[in-house]
Amino acid sequence: MAVFAGQGDARRSMALLWRAPEAGGARTGPGPKPGLSVDAIVDAAIAVADEEGMAALSMRAVGERLGRTGMALYTYVQSKSELVDLMYDQALAELPADYDPDADWRAAASSWAADLWAFYLRHPWLLQVSQARSVLGPNEYVMLDTAVRVLRPTGLEARMLRRAVGTLLHFVRGTASTIAETWQAPKATGVSEEEWWYTRSALLTEVAPDFAERFPAVAWLEARGGFRNEDETTPYLEQEARETFEAGLVLLLDGLEAAANRAAPAPGAGRLPRLP
Amino acid sequence: MAVFAGQGDARRSMALLWRAPEAGGARTGPGPKPGLSVDAIVDAAIAVADEEGMAALSMRAVGERLGRTGMALYTYVQSKSELVDLMYDQALAELPADYDPDADWRAAASSWAADLWAFYLRHPWLLQVSQARSVLGPNEYVMLDTAVRVLRPTGLEARMLRRAVGTLLHFVRGTASTIAETWQAPKATGVSEEEWWYTRSALLTEVAPDFAERFPAVAWLEARGGFRNEDETTPYLEQEARETFEAGLVLLLDGLEAAANRAAPAPGAGRLPRLP
DNA sequence: GCTATCACTTTATACCTTAAAGAAATCAGG
DNA sequence: CCTGATTTCTTTAAGGTATAAAGTGATAGC
């Protein structure tokens, strides 16, 4: 069968993603019974990525977790990249999908974004998986469906709604990335965040004694408390990222509300009749 | 000298980033004259990343571009990760930094975001470099300084302004990522975007014939033209990303304007007196 | 001119993905 | 029951990565 260069068999990939029966389902014939399954492999891979980060995700590591060699996985999966696609879609399955369609759309959008944010922080490796690759898996469509359902009461026109969803997605991913990096940096470098920050700030004043003159606006921000840590217990970057998420979400929803009012300026525009 | 585990010498890193004289400047002593320089190496590395993508950035590739082996670079740079930090900060140097402080802050913020967006698309590899890692390099501070200067006329309080900057940064990075991936996918897989999209859509209807029932909101979106390509010449994903950038920016700036009005509801709030 | 020092290369180690071949297990048909 | 095809999984190997360690040769100062 013809296969695209460097891409593997796209049909097999899609069949696997959607768990179509043709793709390695119940098999009867000669040869030993399969001791693994695609699901088991994907779960093990997700566990590795969750626990040790994307950098530690090797075929061997996944295989060992299942008591096999790394090569054993190639019986079930065409390539590591396909495995990552499967991990991605599988992980998305745990996202909530029900948001009260009769409630205020702002509230629904807020909890949707917060859920997504928390989800990314449970699986920080997702943020390292291609920013925008669309694998067209079932759970990716569930997520998109949920997002559209949540935002439909804004009354925005379809294309505009699509852009709003994209904007929200990018925003959530971006802010979650900051925290994810904060968490994985100590693991990777062996230096705690506090220690890193402390050392680097000290070195900064050493290497740029004229900081305030060179970066007046930053200095202004700093003087006004722009970088101050209010809660001493959480690392600075993490706290800032949390605040950025909350504040940025408000900005976005305010903007969305303005757009919604422009689109349907009638009072009660947030409660448009639901569509099938 | 004590060195952090796995981190190399942080002092040397900072000195290099800020090009402090202590870090390998003009040297006099025995031994052959250095044939390379940190700047030459960083420039070559950026060229490799620009032309062939981050995946092709190996020490060997950079060395060969300079007529050396890969190992030669280790005379100038502690590790590949340090080289990437240097590339990151060096690339940021080409960002514009002057935005008319007397103009409408909305206009300034728009062009700032657009410039940043174009910049990321000129160097798509930047989007693959740690989403949030702060290397505390000089040009990173220039960028931050610019952003703060652009948004200061909103009159927002310092911490809020910091969050607004973060939100805008994440948004721009996110939308740019989509396009960047679109561009590099054909290179990586050998399949053009049109071909990929065409094949995958065909397979999608094959593998999920009940698509419309399973994902009613997505189907609704599609029926209303949410995925239609208006300009046939540019690939769909790229066009959509461009639209998302433009529309999302409006959303964000609308939200920002609302916040600014809450902070300083006086008329003409966009023209607060500038601070030193 | 000797020697310490530095730039750079070579070699080696330990990873990675994955192609290809081999070993063992299983079922179907004779 | 036995044979052969088929399949799982392991082993081996090729070609890639970063980088530690050792070797080579040029240079400047004593």
Side-chain angles (χ1 to χ4, degrees):
Chain A
M1 182 190 292
V3 159
F4 292 130
Q7 253 296 69
D9 187 338
R11 164 167 278 111
R12 215 185 109 180
S13 287
M14 281 298 259
L16 219 49
L17 257 178
W18 290 79
R19 298 295 194 281
E22 62 196 85
R27 201 183 49 78
T28 54
K33 297 258 177 290
L36 299 177
S37 67
V38 172
D39 284 320
I41 290 172
V42 170
D43 287 348
I46 290 179
V48 170
D50 280 348
E51 291 167 24
E52 305 172 59
M54 204 55 174
L57 183 83
S58 66
M59 298 304 267
R60 189 197 291 186
V62 177
E64 265 169 13
R65 189 171 278 250
L66 296 163
R68 301 291 138 91
T69 65
M71 286 307 289
L73 311 185
Y74 286 96
T75 311
Y76 300 87
V77 146
Q78 294 190 88
S79 66
K80 184 181 179 181
S81 139
E82 185 179 276
L83 175 56
V84 173
D85 286 352
L86 291 166
M87 291 167 65
Y88 177 77
D89 202 75
Q90 183 59 250
L92 286 177
E94 82 183 48
L95 272 177
D98 56 323
Y99 295 91
D100 184 359
D102 297 315
D104 176 22
W105 66 260
R106 243 191 111 113
S110 274
S111 17
W112 173 79
D115 286 343
L116 187 63
W117 199 69
F119 164 73
Y120 280 132
L121 291 186
R122 276 198 305 278
H123 304 293
W125 52 271
L126 281 170
L127 299 163
Q128 278 164 278
V129 171
S130 59
Q131 300 311 314
R133 146 164 51 181
S134 218
V135 288
L136 306 190
N139 294 313
E140 193 175 24
Y141 276 112
V142 170
M143 173 174 85
L144 184 55
D145 205 72
T146 306
V148 173
R149 221 176 323 114
V150 162
L151 290 188
R152 209 156 45 176
T154 55
L156 289 173
E157 167 245 348
R159 291 178 69 88
M160 186 58 203
L161 196 147
R162 179 87 176 96
R163 293 171 207 149
V165 169
T167 300
L168 275 167
L169 277 172
H170 290 314
F171 165 71
V172 172
R173 280 190 73 112
T175 48
S177 292
T178 308
I179 297 199
E181 300 248 349
T182 304
W183 285 349
Q184 73 197 38
K187 261 193 204 165
T189 63
V191 182
S192 81
E193 213 233 317
E194 289 82 3
E195 193 180 342
W196 186 90
W197 197 254
Y198 181 80
T199 314
R200 289 300 245 248
S201 322
L203 288 171
L204 189 57
T205 62
E206 214 174 283
V207 90
D210 53 347
F211 189 95
E213 292 92 63
R214 282 178 74 174
F215 313 107
V218 176
W220 170 86
L221 193 66
E222 194 166 17
R224 298 291 197 98
F227 298 103
R228 186 144 42 239
N229 213 357
E230 283 188 342
D231 168 13
E232 295 282 345
T233 61
T234 34
Y236 168 66
L237 280 176
E238 177 172 342
Q239 186 183 330
E240 184 191 295
R242 282 182 194 280
E243 294 173 2
T244 300
F245 172 71
E246 281 159 29
L249 188 56
V250 171
L251 293 185
L252 270 170
L253 294 182
D254 280 352
L256 215 46
E257 198 163 321
N261 287 337
R262 275 195 298 270
R271 310 273 183 118
L272 285 182
R274 279 197 297 138
L275 293 146
Chain B
M1 183 190 292
V3 160
F4 292 129
Q7 251 299 67
D9 187 337
R11 163 167 279 110
R12 216 185 108 179
S13 287
M14 281 296 260
L16 219 49
L17 257 178
W18 290 78
R19 299 293 194 281
E22 60 195 88
R27 201 185 49 77
T28 54
K33 296 258 178 287
L36 300 178
S37 67
V38 171
D39 285 320
I41 290 172
V42 171
D43 287 348
I46 290 179
V48 170
D50 280 348
E51 291 168 24
E52 306 172 59
M54 203 55 172
L57 183 82
S58 66
M59 296 304 267
R60 189 196 292 187
V62 177
E64 265 170 12
R65 189 170 279 249
L66 296 163
R68 301 292 138 90
T69 66
M71 287 306 289
L73 311 185
Y74 286 97
T75 311
Y76 299 88
V77 146
Q78 295 190 84
S79 66
K80 183 181 178 180
S81 139
E82 185 179 276
L83 174 56
V84 173
D85 286 352
L86 291 166
M87 290 167 65
Y88 177 76
D89 202 74
Q90 183 59 250
L92 285 178
E94 82 182 47
L95 272 176
D98 56 324
Y99 295 91
D100 185 358
D102 297 314
D104 176 20
W105 67 260
R106 243 191 111 113
S110 275
S111 17
W112 173 79
D115 286 344
L116 187 62
W117 199 69
F119 164 72
Y120 279 132
L121 291 186
R122 275 198 306 277
H123 304 293
W125 53 271
L126 280 169
L127 299 163
Q128 277 164 281
V129 172
S130 60
Q131 301 310 315
R133 148 162 50 180
S134 218
V135 289
L136 307 189
N139 293 314
E140 195 174 24
Y141 276 111
V142 169
M143 173 176 83
L144 183 55
D145 205 71
T146 306
V148 172
R149 221 177 320 116
V150 162
L151 289 188
R152 210 155 47 176
T154 55
L156 288 173
E157 168 245 348
R159 291 178 69 88
M160 186 58 204
L161 195 147
R162 178 88 176 94
R163 293 172 208 147
V165 169
T167 301
L168 275 167
L169 277 172
H170 290 313
F171 164 72
V172 172
R173 280 190 73 111
T175 47
S177 291
T178 307
I179 297 198
E181 300 247 350
T182 304
W183 285 349
Q184 73 197 39
K187 261 192 205 168
T189 63
V191 181
S192 81
E193 214 233 315
E194 287 82 2
E195 193 180 344
W196 187 91
W197 196 252
Y198 182 80
T199 314
R200 288 301 245 248
S201 322
L203 288 171
L204 189 58
T205 63
E206 213 173 283
V207 90
D210 53 347
F211 190 93
E213 292 91 63
R214 283 177 76 175
F215 313 105
V218 176
W220 171 85
L221 193 65
E222 194 165 15
R224 297 295 196 92
F227 298 103
R228 186 145 41 239
N229 213 358
E230 284 188 339
D231 168 13
E232 296 281 344
T233 60
T234 34
Y236 168 66
L237 279 177
E238 177 172 341
Q239 186 183 330
E240 183 191 295
R242 283 183 193 281
E243 294 173 1
T244 300
F245 171 72
E246 280 159 30
L249 188 56
V250 170
L251 293 185
L252 270 170
L253 294 182
D254 280 352
L256 215 47
E257 197 162 323
N261 288 338
R262 276 195 300 270
R271 310 273 182 117
L272 283 183
R274 279 197 296 140
L275 292 146

